[in-house]
Amino acid sequence: MLYRMCMDILLTHTTALEVLRSARLRWRLERRERCDACVPNCVPSGEELRALIAQTPELAHTALPLEVLVTRDAPRSRTKLVCTHPSPAELPAGSAFEVAPGVRCVSPEHLPVVMASLLTDLELAFLLSELLGLYAIAPSLEKGMFQRWEPLTTPELILAHLDALGSERGTDRVRRALSSACVRSGSPQETRLSMRLGLARMRGGYGFDVLAMNDPVAVQRVRDAMRPGVRKPDILLRAPGAAGRGVAVEYDGGDHNSAEAHARDAERHTELIALGIDEHIVTAVQYHDLD
């Protein structure tokens, strides 16, 4: 069988995750730019790969080997520079994101599908929570993350992509994990806390009904002469046995330690209580104390 000469690569798996966490690409990713996947039927030569890496800033600090998709009948390759993964030759429209000329990355909707076979259900739910969240994990930064203005994708976009893939391997597991994933979580700590509160008891959670995360709630602002304002509770739960009432849960991380932060927290607490929403603060110490 003859294979065409190629320079293009389609990043996947952990390489794709590193790229989707790139601060350089955050604005394009948050605008949800997409392109067609164009799955190659070969990988570039070592010389061509080195050239692509050298001319693509997003790949300069990416761990090697680069993980890439190739068609299922393409030769497999695993070297110091590249590791291939088989893929259907035809993927739904918009299954990729263009990083640079010749370099594409699987989309946030497709990444969970290709990663599904390597992750537990809980790990897959955490991956989905980051893609659906308002943060990107960045170990090189002081806080280990940076904030996003908008999530990379939505549950609706992921479900539409799964429908377009049909019975492709991994789709059923992503659907199942999506039902447990957090939407609009503001940090990995918020994700873990929401999981602890919302997962069924048999899966290590408390089985509460998580209504929303970081969604706006209209309040009367204490500081501004009771003018209308908005608060965004980290986690909003339905109060058990109390129709119409909610419970707000706030994760008290390191950015709540200053006097100014304590003052803001007190104002938020008062404004939510005035609406009949009970607010509870959970510290890191309390989170790690299961009792």
PDB file of all heavy atoms in Angstrom, residues 90-126:
ATOM      1  N   GLU A  90     -12.031   9.252   8.963  1.00  0.00           N
ATOM      2  CA  GLU A  90     -13.006  10.345   8.888  1.00  0.00           C
ATOM      3  C   GLU A  90     -13.556  10.630  10.283  1.00  0.00           C
ATOM      4  O   GLU A  90     -14.141   9.761  10.912  1.00  0.00           O
ATOM      5  CB  GLU A  90     -14.153   9.969   7.949  1.00  0.00           C
ATOM      6  CG  GLU A  90     -13.734   9.720   6.506  1.00  0.00           C
ATOM      7  CD  GLU A  90     -13.269  10.986   5.816  1.00  0.00           C
ATOM      8  OE1 GLU A  90     -13.730  12.079   6.206  1.00  0.00           O
ATOM      9  OE2 GLU A  90     -12.445  10.883   4.889  1.00  0.00           O
ATOM     10  N   LEU A  91     -13.340  11.837  10.755  1.00  0.00           N
ATOM     11  CA  LEU A  91     -13.895  12.288  12.025  1.00  0.00           C
ATOM     12  C   LEU A  91     -14.916  13.388  11.742  1.00  0.00           C
ATOM     13  O   LEU A  91     -14.833  14.060  10.707  1.00  0.00           O
ATOM     14  CB  LEU A  91     -12.792  12.807  12.946  1.00  0.00           C
ATOM     15  CG  LEU A  91     -11.807  11.757  13.477  1.00  0.00           C
ATOM     16  CD1 LEU A  91     -10.696  12.422  14.292  1.00  0.00           C
ATOM     17  CD2 LEU A  91     -12.527  10.711  14.329  1.00  0.00           C
ATOM     18  N   PRO A  92     -15.874  13.599  12.646  1.00  0.00           N
ATOM     19  CA  PRO A  92     -16.874  14.644  12.411  1.00  0.00           C
ATOM     20  C   PRO A  92     -16.240  16.012  12.188  1.00  0.00           C
ATOM     21  O   PRO A  92     -15.135  16.286  12.668  1.00  0.00           O
ATOM     22  CB  PRO A  92     -17.707  14.621  13.708  1.00  0.00           C
ATOM     23  CG  PRO A  92     -17.496  13.252  14.264  1.00  0.00           C
ATOM     24  CD  PRO A  92     -16.103  12.866  13.905  1.00  0.00           C
ATOM     25  N   ALA A  93     -16.945  16.856  11.451  1.00  0.00           N
ATOM     26  CA  ALA A  93     -16.462  18.219  11.217  1.00  0.00           C
ATOM     27  C   ALA A  93     -16.208  18.916  12.549  1.00  0.00           C
ATOM     28  O   ALA A  93     -16.973  18.745  13.510  1.00  0.00           O
ATOM     29  CB  ALA A  93     -17.490  19.000  10.402  1.00  0.00           C
ATOM     30  N   GLY A  94     -15.122  19.684  12.606  1.00  0.00           N
ATOM     31  CA  GLY A  94     -14.814  20.420  13.828  1.00  0.00           C
ATOM     32  C   GLY A  94     -14.193  19.590  14.923  1.00  0.00           C
ATOM     33  O   GLY A  94     -14.241  19.982  16.090  1.00  0.00           O
ATOM     34  N   SER A  95     -13.565  18.457  14.575  1.00  0.00           N
ATOM     35  CA  SER A  95     -12.980  17.579  15.590  1.00  0.00           C
ATOM     36  C   SER A  95     -11.573  17.990  16.001  1.00  0.00           C
ATOM     37  O   SER A  95     -10.929  17.284  16.779  1.00  0.00           O
ATOM     38  CB  SER A  95     -12.926  16.130  15.082  1.00  0.00           C
ATOM     39  OG  SER A  95     -14.218  15.602  14.926  1.00  0.00           O
ATOM     40  N   ALA A  96     -11.088  19.118  15.485  1.00  0.00           N
ATOM     41  CA  ALA A  96      -9.713  19.524  15.779  1.00  0.00           C
ATOM     42  C   ALA A  96      -9.630  21.038  15.967  1.00  0.00           C
ATOM     43  O   ALA A  96     -10.598  21.777  15.749  1.00  0.00           O
ATOM     44  CB  ALA A  96      -8.778  19.079  14.652  1.00  0.00           C
ATOM     45  N   PHE A  97      -8.446  21.456  16.386  1.00  0.00           N
ATOM     46  CA  PHE A  97      -8.120  22.868  16.602  1.00  0.00           C
ATOM     47  C   PHE A  97      -6.756  23.096  15.963  1.00  0.00           C
ATOM     48  O   PHE A  97      -5.825  22.322  16.198  1.00  0.00           O
ATOM     49  CB  PHE A  97      -8.073  23.160  18.100  1.00  0.00           C
ATOM     50  CG  PHE A  97      -7.440  24.473  18.465  1.00  0.00           C
ATOM     51  CD1 PHE A  97      -8.132  25.653  18.328  1.00  0.00           C
ATOM     52  CD2 PHE A  97      -6.141  24.521  18.952  1.00  0.00           C
ATOM     53  CE1 PHE A  97      -7.553  26.872  18.659  1.00  0.00           C
ATOM     54  CE2 PHE A  97      -5.549  25.720  19.299  1.00  0.00           C
ATOM     55  CZ  PHE A  97      -6.264  26.909  19.150  1.00  0.00           C
ATOM     56  N   GLU A  98      -6.633  24.132  15.120  1.00  0.00           N
ATOM     57  CA  GLU A  98      -5.358  24.386  14.456  1.00  0.00           C
ATOM     58  C   GLU A  98      -4.423  25.143  15.389  1.00  0.00           C
ATOM     59  O   GLU A  98      -4.697  26.279  15.786  1.00  0.00           O
ATOM     60  CB  GLU A  98      -5.545  25.173  13.171  1.00  0.00           C
ATOM     61  CG  GLU A  98      -4.239  25.314  12.397  1.00  0.00           C
ATOM     62  CD  GLU A  98      -4.415  25.944  11.027  1.00  0.00           C
ATOM     63  OE1 GLU A  98      -5.084  26.990  10.951  1.00  0.00           O
ATOM     64  OE2 GLU A  98      -3.890  25.393  10.056  1.00  0.00           O
ATOM     65  N   VAL A  99      -3.312  24.515  15.749  1.00  0.00           N
ATOM     66  CA  VAL A  99      -2.316  25.126  16.624  1.00  0.00           C
ATOM     67  C   VAL A  99      -1.413  26.046  15.821  1.00  0.00           C
ATOM     68  O   VAL A  99      -1.113  27.178  16.225  1.00  0.00           O
ATOM     69  CB  VAL A  99      -1.479  24.029  17.324  1.00  0.00           C
ATOM     70  CG1 VAL A  99      -0.409  24.657  18.218  1.00  0.00           C
ATOM     71  CG2 VAL A  99      -2.384  23.112  18.136  1.00  0.00           C
ATOM     72  N   ALA A 100      -0.960  25.559  14.666  1.00  0.00           N
ATOM     73  CA  ALA A 100      -0.066  26.292  13.771  1.00  0.00           C
ATOM     74  C   ALA A 100      -0.126  25.589  12.428  1.00  0.00           C
ATOM     75  O   ALA A 100      -0.661  24.472  12.326  1.00  0.00           O
ATOM     76  CB  ALA A 100       1.363  26.284  14.334  1.00  0.00           C
ATOM     77  N   PRO A 101       0.409  26.209  11.372  1.00  0.00           N
ATOM     78  CA  PRO A 101       0.412  25.516  10.078  1.00  0.00           C
ATOM     79  C   PRO A 101       1.071  24.141  10.186  1.00  0.00           C
ATOM     80  O   PRO A 101       2.187  24.004  10.678  1.00  0.00           O
ATOM     81  CB  PRO A 101       1.240  26.457   9.191  1.00  0.00           C
ATOM     82  CG  PRO A 101       1.014  27.815   9.784  1.00  0.00           C
ATOM     83  CD  PRO A 101       0.944  27.582  11.259  1.00  0.00           C
ATOM     84  N   GLY A 102       0.344  23.113   9.762  1.00  0.00           N
ATOM     85  CA  GLY A 102       0.856  21.752   9.820  1.00  0.00           C
ATOM     86  C   GLY A 102       0.658  21.055  11.149  1.00  0.00           C
ATOM     87  O   GLY A 102       0.969  19.866  11.275  1.00  0.00           O
ATOM     88  N   VAL A 103       0.152  21.770  12.139  1.00  0.00           N
ATOM     89  CA  VAL A 103      -0.032  21.191  13.476  1.00  0.00           C
ATOM     90  C   VAL A 103      -1.470  21.402  13.923  1.00  0.00           C
ATOM     91  O   VAL A 103      -1.908  22.543  14.131  1.00  0.00           O
ATOM     92  CB  VAL A 103       0.923  21.806  14.508  1.00  0.00           C
ATOM     93  CG1 VAL A 103       0.717  21.157  15.878  1.00  0.00           C
ATOM     94  CG2 VAL A 103       2.373  21.671  14.060  1.00  0.00           C
ATOM     95  N   ARG A 104      -2.199  20.304  14.053  1.00  0.00           N
ATOM     96  CA  ARG A 104      -3.558  20.358  14.592  1.00  0.00           C
ATOM     97  C   ARG A 104      -3.608  19.555  15.885  1.00  0.00           C
ATOM     98  O   ARG A 104      -2.772  18.688  16.130  1.00  0.00           O
ATOM     99  CB  ARG A 104      -4.567  19.810  13.582  1.00  0.00           C
ATOM    100  CG  ARG A 104      -4.751  20.685  12.343  1.00  0.00           C
ATOM    101  CD  ARG A 104      -5.803  20.099  11.410  1.00  0.00           C
ATOM    102  NE  ARG A 104      -6.088  20.983  10.300  1.00  0.00           N
ATOM    103  CZ  ARG A 104      -5.399  21.030   9.165  1.00  0.00           C
ATOM    104  NH1 ARG A 104      -4.357  20.208   9.010  1.00  0.00           N
ATOM    105  NH2 ARG A 104      -5.726  21.855   8.208  1.00  0.00           N
ATOM    106  N   CYS A 105      -4.627  19.836  16.668  1.00  0.00           N
ATOM    107  CA  CYS A 105      -4.816  19.169  17.958  1.00  0.00           C
ATOM    108  C   CYS A 105      -6.267  18.719  18.028  1.00  0.00           C
ATOM    109  O   CYS A 105      -7.163  19.440  17.563  1.00  0.00           O
ATOM    110  CB  CYS A 105      -4.489  20.161  19.078  1.00  0.00           C
ATOM    111  SG  CYS A 105      -4.878  19.596  20.743  1.00  0.00           S
ATOM    112  N   VAL A 106      -6.521  17.532  18.588  1.00  0.00           N
ATOM    113  CA  VAL A 106      -7.914  17.111  18.719  1.00  0.00           C
ATOM    114  C   VAL A 106      -8.673  18.126  19.572  1.00  0.00           C
ATOM    115  O   VAL A 106      -8.118  18.750  20.473  1.00  0.00           O
ATOM    116  CB  VAL A 106      -8.033  15.697  19.325  1.00  0.00           C
ATOM    117  CG1 VAL A 106      -7.419  14.665  18.402  1.00  0.00           C
ATOM    118  CG2 VAL A 106      -7.434  15.623  20.713  1.00  0.00           C
ATOM    119  N   SER A 107      -9.931  18.296  19.296  1.00  0.00           N
ATOM    120  CA  SER A 107     -10.753  19.287  19.977  1.00  0.00           C
ATOM    121  C   SER A 107     -11.056  18.869  21.413  1.00  0.00           C
ATOM    122  O   SER A 107     -10.931  17.694  21.775  1.00  0.00           O
ATOM    123  CB  SER A 107     -12.070  19.472  19.222  1.00  0.00           C
ATOM    124  OG  SER A 107     -12.852  18.292  19.339  1.00  0.00           O
ATOM    125  N   PRO A 108     -11.485  19.815  22.260  1.00  0.00           N
ATOM    126  CA  PRO A 108     -11.901  19.448  23.625  1.00  0.00           C
ATOM    127  C   PRO A 108     -13.050  18.454  23.643  1.00  0.00           C
ATOM    128  O   PRO A 108     -13.225  17.736  24.624  1.00  0.00           O
ATOM    129  CB  PRO A 108     -12.315  20.794  24.233  1.00  0.00           C
ATOM    130  CG  PRO A 108     -11.548  21.819  23.465  1.00  0.00           C
ATOM    131  CD  PRO A 108     -11.488  21.280  22.056  1.00  0.00           C
ATOM    132  N   GLU A 109     -13.834  18.398  22.576  1.00  0.00           N
ATOM    133  CA  GLU A 109     -14.924  17.417  22.515  1.00  0.00           C
ATOM    134  C   GLU A 109     -14.402  16.018  22.205  1.00  0.00           C
ATOM    135  O   GLU A 109     -14.958  15.016  22.657  1.00  0.00           O
ATOM    136  CB  GLU A 109     -15.951  17.820  21.442  1.00  0.00           C
ATOM    137  CG  GLU A 109     -16.702  19.103  21.723  1.00  0.00           C
ATOM    138  CD  GLU A 109     -15.881  20.351  21.408  1.00  0.00           C
ATOM    139  OE1 GLU A 109     -15.090  20.332  20.439  1.00  0.00           O
ATOM    140  OE2 GLU A 109     -16.025  21.350  22.157  1.00  0.00           O
ATOM    141  N   HIS A 110     -13.321  15.934  21.422  1.00  0.00           N
ATOM    142  CA  HIS A 110     -12.813  14.614  21.006  1.00  0.00           C
ATOM    143  C   HIS A 110     -11.784  14.048  21.982  1.00  0.00           C
ATOM    144  O   HIS A 110     -11.627  12.822  22.073  1.00  0.00           O
ATOM    145  CB  HIS A 110     -12.191  14.709  19.607  1.00  0.00           C
ATOM    146  CG  HIS A 110     -12.000  13.378  18.950  1.00  0.00           C
ATOM    147  ND1 HIS A 110     -13.043  12.520  18.669  1.00  0.00           N
ATOM    148  CD2 HIS A 110     -10.880  12.732  18.521  1.00  0.00           C
ATOM    149  CE1 HIS A 110     -12.587  11.419  18.102  1.00  0.00           C
ATOM    150  NE2 HIS A 110     -11.277  11.512  18.008  1.00  0.00           N
ATOM    151  N   LEU A 111     -11.090  14.913  22.713  1.00  0.00           N
ATOM    152  CA  LEU A 111     -10.036  14.437  23.613  1.00  0.00           C
ATOM    153  C   LEU A 111     -10.539  13.399  24.615  1.00  0.00           C
ATOM    154  O   LEU A 111      -9.884  12.361  24.811  1.00  0.00           O
ATOM    155  CB  LEU A 111      -9.385  15.614  24.340  1.00  0.00           C
ATOM    156  CG  LEU A 111      -8.276  15.241  25.327  1.00  0.00           C
ATOM    157  CD1 LEU A 111      -7.122  14.539  24.618  1.00  0.00           C
ATOM    158  CD2 LEU A 111      -7.769  16.478  26.065  1.00  0.00           C
ATOM    159  N   PRO A 112     -11.677  13.608  25.302  1.00  0.00           N
ATOM    160  CA  PRO A 112     -12.128  12.572  26.252  1.00  0.00           C
ATOM    161  C   PRO A 112     -12.382  11.220  25.594  1.00  0.00           C
ATOM    162  O   PRO A 112     -12.189  10.180  26.233  1.00  0.00           O
ATOM    163  CB  PRO A 112     -13.425  13.168  26.826  1.00  0.00           C
ATOM    164  CG  PRO A 112     -13.328  14.625  26.586  1.00  0.00           C
ATOM    165  CD  PRO A 112     -12.578  14.770  25.301  1.00  0.00           C
ATOM    166  N   VAL A 113     -12.800  11.222  24.332  1.00  0.00           N
ATOM    167  CA  VAL A 113     -13.077   9.961  23.640  1.00  0.00           C
ATOM    168  C   VAL A 113     -11.794   9.171  23.443  1.00  0.00           C
ATOM    169  O   VAL A 113     -11.745   7.968  23.721  1.00  0.00           O
ATOM    170  CB  VAL A 113     -13.765  10.230  22.284  1.00  0.00           C
ATOM    171  CG1 VAL A 113     -14.000   8.917  21.535  1.00  0.00           C
ATOM    172  CG2 VAL A 113     -15.082  10.971  22.478  1.00  0.00           C
ATOM    173  N   VAL A 114     -10.723   9.834  22.986  1.00  0.00           N
ATOM    174  CA  VAL A 114      -9.473   9.102  22.747  1.00  0.00           C
ATOM    175  C   VAL A 114      -8.778   8.733  24.055  1.00  0.00           C
ATOM    176  O   VAL A 114      -8.004   7.776  24.099  1.00  0.00           O
ATOM    177  CB  VAL A 114      -8.508   9.911  21.845  1.00  0.00           C
ATOM    178  CG1 VAL A 114      -9.116  10.104  20.469  1.00  0.00           C
ATOM    179  CG2 VAL A 114      -8.132  11.253  22.454  1.00  0.00           C
ATOM    180  N   MET A 115      -9.058   9.473  25.136  1.00  0.00           N
ATOM    181  CA  MET A 115      -8.434   9.189  26.430  1.00  0.00           C
ATOM    182  C   MET A 115      -9.206   8.164  27.248  1.00  0.00           C
ATOM    183  O   MET A 115      -8.695   7.632  28.242  1.00  0.00           O
ATOM    184  CB  MET A 115      -8.316  10.479  27.241  1.00  0.00           C
ATOM    185  CG  MET A 115      -7.353  11.514  26.678  1.00  0.00           C
ATOM    186  SD  MET A 115      -5.631  11.062  26.951  1.00  0.00           S
ATOM    187  CE  MET A 115      -5.466  11.429  28.701  1.00  0.00           C
ATOM    188  N   ALA A 116     -10.444   7.869  26.857  1.00  0.00           N
ATOM    189  CA  ALA A 116     -11.348   7.070  27.698  1.00  0.00           C
ATOM    190  C   ALA A 116     -10.767   5.715  28.076  1.00  0.00           C
ATOM    191  O   ALA A 116     -10.919   5.260  29.215  1.00  0.00           O
ATOM    192  CB  ALA A 116     -12.692   6.897  26.993  1.00  0.00           C
ATOM    193  N   SER A 117     -10.086   5.054  27.149  1.00  0.00           N
ATOM    194  CA  SER A 117      -9.592   3.706  27.432  1.00  0.00           C
ATOM    195  C   SER A 117      -8.440   3.705  28.429  1.00  0.00           C
ATOM    196  O   SER A 117      -8.105   2.651  28.987  1.00  0.00           O
ATOM    197  CB  SER A 117      -9.140   3.028  26.137  1.00  0.00           C
ATOM    198  OG  SER A 117      -8.047   3.734  25.558  1.00  0.00           O
ATOM    199  N   LEU A 118      -7.842   4.862  28.684  1.00  0.00           N
ATOM    200  CA  LEU A 118      -6.691   4.943  29.584  1.00  0.00           C
ATOM    201  C   LEU A 118      -7.068   5.423  30.983  1.00  0.00           C
ATOM    202  O   LEU A 118      -6.232   5.398  31.891  1.00  0.00           O
ATOM    203  CB  LEU A 118      -5.639   5.905  29.014  1.00  0.00           C
ATOM    204  CG  LEU A 118      -5.109   5.587  27.616  1.00  0.00           C
ATOM    205  CD1 LEU A 118      -4.134   6.661  27.167  1.00  0.00           C
ATOM    206  CD2 LEU A 118      -4.444   4.218  27.590  1.00  0.00           C
ATOM    207  N   LEU A 119      -8.315   5.860  31.178  1.00  0.00           N
ATOM    208  CA  LEU A 119      -8.722   6.486  32.433  1.00  0.00           C
ATOM    209  C   LEU A 119      -9.828   5.697  33.113  1.00  0.00           C
ATOM    210  O   LEU A 119     -10.632   5.021  32.458  1.00  0.00           O
ATOM    211  CB  LEU A 119      -9.217   7.919  32.173  1.00  0.00           C
ATOM    212  CG  LEU A 119      -8.246   8.870  31.456  1.00  0.00           C
ATOM    213  CD1 LEU A 119      -8.926  10.219  31.211  1.00  0.00           C
ATOM    214  CD2 LEU A 119      -6.970   9.055  32.261  1.00  0.00           C
ATOM    215  N   THR A 120      -9.885   5.807  34.436  1.00  0.00           N
ATOM    216  CA  THR A 120     -11.046   5.294  35.171  1.00  0.00           C
ATOM    217  C   THR A 120     -12.224   6.233  34.938  1.00  0.00           C
ATOM    218  O   THR A 120     -12.064   7.352  34.431  1.00  0.00           O
ATOM    219  CB  THR A 120     -10.747   5.216  36.667  1.00  0.00           C
ATOM    220  OG1 THR A 120     -10.585   6.558  37.178  1.00  0.00           O
ATOM    221  CG2 THR A 120      -9.482   4.415  36.954  1.00  0.00           C
ATOM    222  N   ASP A 121     -13.411   5.805  35.317  1.00  0.00           N
ATOM    223  CA  ASP A 121     -14.587   6.664  35.162  1.00  0.00           C
ATOM    224  C   ASP A 121     -14.413   7.976  35.924  1.00  0.00           C
ATOM    225  O   ASP A 121     -14.794   9.047  35.435  1.00  0.00           O
ATOM    226  CB  ASP A 121     -15.849   5.945  35.648  1.00  0.00           C
ATOM    227  CG  ASP A 121     -16.304   4.850  34.685  1.00  0.00           C
ATOM    228  OD1 ASP A 121     -15.806   4.822  33.544  1.00  0.00           O
ATOM    229  OD2 ASP A 121     -17.160   4.033  35.084  1.00  0.00           O
ATOM    230  N   LEU A 122     -13.835   7.900  37.138  1.00  0.00           N
ATOM    231  CA  LEU A 122     -13.653   9.106  37.935  1.00  0.00           C
ATOM    232  C   LEU A 122     -12.610  10.028  37.306  1.00  0.00           C
ATOM    233  O   LEU A 122     -12.792  11.251  37.259  1.00  0.00           O
ATOM    234  CB  LEU A 122     -13.249   8.735  39.364  1.00  0.00           C
ATOM    235  CG  LEU A 122     -13.284   9.871  40.396  1.00  0.00           C
ATOM    236  CD1 LEU A 122     -14.663  10.501  40.464  1.00  0.00           C
ATOM    237  CD2 LEU A 122     -12.878   9.348  41.770  1.00  0.00           C
ATOM    238  N   GLU A 123     -11.513   9.451  36.811  1.00  0.00           N
ATOM    239  CA  GLU A 123     -10.493  10.271  36.138  1.00  0.00           C
ATOM    240  C   GLU A 123     -11.061  10.937  34.893  1.00  0.00           C
ATOM    241  O   GLU A 123     -10.756  12.101  34.598  1.00  0.00           O
ATOM    242  CB  GLU A 123      -9.293   9.403  35.771  1.00  0.00           C
ATOM    243  CG  GLU A 123      -8.459   8.964  36.962  1.00  0.00           C
ATOM    244  CD  GLU A 123      -7.429   7.908  36.597  1.00  0.00           C
ATOM    245  OE1 GLU A 123      -7.618   7.204  35.585  1.00  0.00           O
ATOM    246  OE2 GLU A 123      -6.439   7.774  37.346  1.00  0.00           O
ATOM    247  N   LEU A 124     -11.914  10.225  34.177  1.00  0.00           N
ATOM    248  CA  LEU A 124     -12.537  10.786  32.982  1.00  0.00           C
ATOM    249  C   LEU A 124     -13.469  11.938  33.355  1.00  0.00           C
ATOM    250  O   LEU A 124     -13.520  12.966  32.661  1.00  0.00           O
ATOM    251  CB  LEU A 124     -13.300   9.691  32.245  1.00  0.00           C
ATOM    252  CG  LEU A 124     -13.792   9.981  30.824  1.00  0.00           C
ATOM    253  CD1 LEU A 124     -12.666  10.475  29.932  1.00  0.00           C
ATOM    254  CD2 LEU A 124     -14.441   8.726  30.238  1.00  0.00           C
ATOM    255  N   ALA A 125     -14.192  11.799  34.476  1.00  0.00           N
ATOM    256  CA  ALA A 125     -15.056  12.884  34.944  1.00  0.00           C
ATOM    257  C   ALA A 125     -14.239  14.115  35.331  1.00  0.00           C
ATOM    258  O   ALA A 125     -14.650  15.253  35.079  1.00  0.00           O
ATOM    259  CB  ALA A 125     -15.893  12.413  36.138  1.00  0.00           C
ATOM    260  N   PHE A 126     -13.053  13.909  35.917  1.00  0.00           N
ATOM    261  CA  PHE A 126     -12.193  15.039  36.265  1.00  0.00           C
ATOM    262  C   PHE A 126     -11.642  15.716  35.014  1.00  0.00           C
ATOM    263  O   PHE A 126     -11.529  16.951  34.963  1.00  0.00           O
ATOM    264  CB  PHE A 126     -11.050  14.586  37.179  1.00  0.00           C
ATOM    265  CG  PHE A 126     -11.405  14.593  38.629  1.00  0.00           C
ATOM    266  CD1 PHE A 126     -11.843  13.451  39.274  1.00  0.00           C
ATOM    267  CD2 PHE A 126     -11.302  15.767  39.372  1.00  0.00           C
ATOM    268  CE1 PHE A 126     -12.188  13.468  40.626  1.00  0.00           C
ATOM    269  CE2 PHE A 126     -11.646  15.792  40.711  1.00  0.00           C
ATOM    270  CZ  PHE A 126     -12.081  14.639  41.349  1.00  0.00           C
TER     271      PHE A 126
END
